Amino acid sequence: MKKRNAYFVAGLILTGFLTAMILLGLFWTPYDPNAMDGAAKFLKPSLQHLMGTDGFGRDIFSRVLKGAGTTYGIAAATVAIGGICGTLIGALTGYFGGIVDDVLMRLGDVLTAFPSILLALVVISILGPGKTINVMIALGLVFIPSFARVTRTAFASLRDVNYIKSARLMGASSGRILWRHMLPNTWDVLLPALTIGFNNAALAEASMSYLCIGVTPPDASLGYMLSEAQGMFVRAPWYAISTGMTLVLMVFGMGLLGEGLQHRHGEVF
C-alpha cells in the first residue's frame, strides 16, 4: 500500500472509531456526565472510572463522550452551513463571473481579513450567547467565505474546458451544467477542503468554549472541559490529558483523511 493510501486508511479508521464512540455517547455513558459525587473526587483512572474523576467527582470518560459529541456536532454543522452556502456562492460566481463575482469576492476578502473567532463572537453577541445552536450558526456564517473561495477557483478552472463548451452548444441549461457536469469534477478539491474546514471549526469551537464565550454549562464541550481542567491540573492531570488527547485525535484523524483524499485522484483503493 502506498503511503498516500495509508493516510486515507489510517484517517478513516481513527475518524470512524471516534465517530462510533461519539454516537455511543449520544445514547449511553457509564455515568451521568454532570452528576457530582463528593466521595469520588480526584480518583485516578481505573476500571471503574476509565479516565478518572474531576474535582466534583464527575466521571471524566462520560464527560469526554458528551463533550466530544458537542464539539463534533458543532464542527459538522459549521461545515454543513459554510460548505453548502459557500459552494453555492462559489459555483455561481466561478461560472458566471462578472460584477457579482467581483463584489462577493471582495466582500469575502474583507471578512477573511478578520480573525474567525472575532467575527464569530460578534455574531454570537447578536444572536445571544450560551446556546449551542447560536455557536453553530455563528461559525457556519464565518466559514462561508473560505468555502466560497475554494469552490469559485474550482468552477472557474472548468468554465472553459471543452466538455463544458460542448454542453453549452448542445443547449444544456446553466443549472444542468453546474450540477451534472461541473460539480462531480470538483470533488477532488471540495472533499479535502471540507476536512480542513471541519478541523478549523472544531478548533474554533474549542477555543471559544475555552474562553467561555461558546458552549456553556450544563452542556459539555472539549474546549470548556479544557478550561475546567486547567484549574485542576495539579490534582487531576488526567482530566486535561484525556480531554486534550481526544481533541488532538479528532483533528489528527480528520487531517489524515483529508491528506489521503487530496492524493486519491487517479488512484485505486
Side-chain angles (χ1 to χ4, degrees):
M1 181 182 293
K2 295 181 180 180
K3 180 184 291 188
R4 59 187 61 178
N5 291 5
Y7 287 147
F8 180 82
V9 174
L12 188 63
I13 293 174
L14 182 55
T15 301
F17 173 75
L18 290 175
T19 301
M21 294 299 295
I22 289 170
L23 291 176
L24 175 65
L26 295 177
F27 304 100
W28 174 86
T29 55
Y31 300 88
D32 183 344
N34 297 319
M36 300 182 185
D37 185 357
K41 293 181 179 179
F42 300 120
L43 294 181
K44 295 181 179 180
S46 63
L47 293 178
Q48 187 176 7
H49 298 281
L50 294 180
M51 294 181 178
T53 63
D54 63 9
F56 301 100
R58 298 174 297 188
D59 181 65
I60 294 175
F61 180 64
S62 300
R63 290 185 60 76
V64 166
L65 287 178
K66 286 294 184 182
T70 300
T71 300
Y72 194 98
I74 291 175
T78 298
V79 169
I81 296 172
I84 293 173
C85 296
T87 298
L88 180 60
I89 294 172
L92 294 176
T93 55
Y95 180 71
F96 292 105
I99 188 171
V100 176
D101 178 25
D102 293 335
V103 171
L104 290 177
M105 288 301 103
R106 297 298 79 75
L107 179 60
D109 290 340
V110 173
L111 292 177
T112 53
F114 295 91
S116 58
I117 294 181
L118 178 61
L119 288 176
L121 179 59
V122 172
V123 177
I124 288 178
S125 66
I126 296 173
L127 297 176
K131 294 183 178 180
T132 302
I133 185 65
N134 290 346
V135 178
M136 293 178 178
I137 295 173
L139 289 177
L141 294 175
V142 168
F143 276 70
I144 288 176
S146 59
F147 284 110
R149 182 175 297 280
V150 171
T151 307
R152 174 191 175 276
T153 302
F155 275 79
S157 65
L158 296 174
R159 184 170 52 194
D160 295 321
V161 298
N162 290 334
Y163 68 88
I164 298 298
K165 292 180 178 179
S166 299
R168 290 198 198 99
L169 291 174
M170 294 176 65
S173 64
S174 296
R176 180 179 178 83
I177 291 174
L178 288 169
W179 179 255
R180 296 293 300 274
H181 299 288
M182 299 183 76
L183 183 61
N185 289 287
T186 60
W187 284 119
D188 293 326
V189 175
L190 295 181
L191 288 178
L194 290 176
T195 60
I196 294 172
F198 180 93
N199 281 349
N200 291 337
L203 293 174
E205 185 281 324
S207 300
M208 292 170 61
S209 297
Y210 180 85
L211 298 173
C212 300
I213 57 177
V215 177
T216 56
D219 295 330
S221 164
L222 293 181
Y224 184 78
M225 290 166 62
L226 282 173
S227 180
E228 282 186 328
Q230 183 178 5
M232 307 178 191
F233 189 77
V234 176
R235 295 288 304 275
W238 48 85
Y239 192 5
I241 293 172
S242 57
T243 304
M245 284 303 300
T246 301
L247 181 60
V248 168
L249 290 176
M250 182 186 297
V251 173
F252 182 62
M254 194 63 69
L256 287 176
L257 195 59
E259 183 72 17
L261 288 171
Q262 195 169 7
H263 296 94
R264 188 178 180 181
H265 180 61
E267 297 183 5
V268 178
F269 279 73

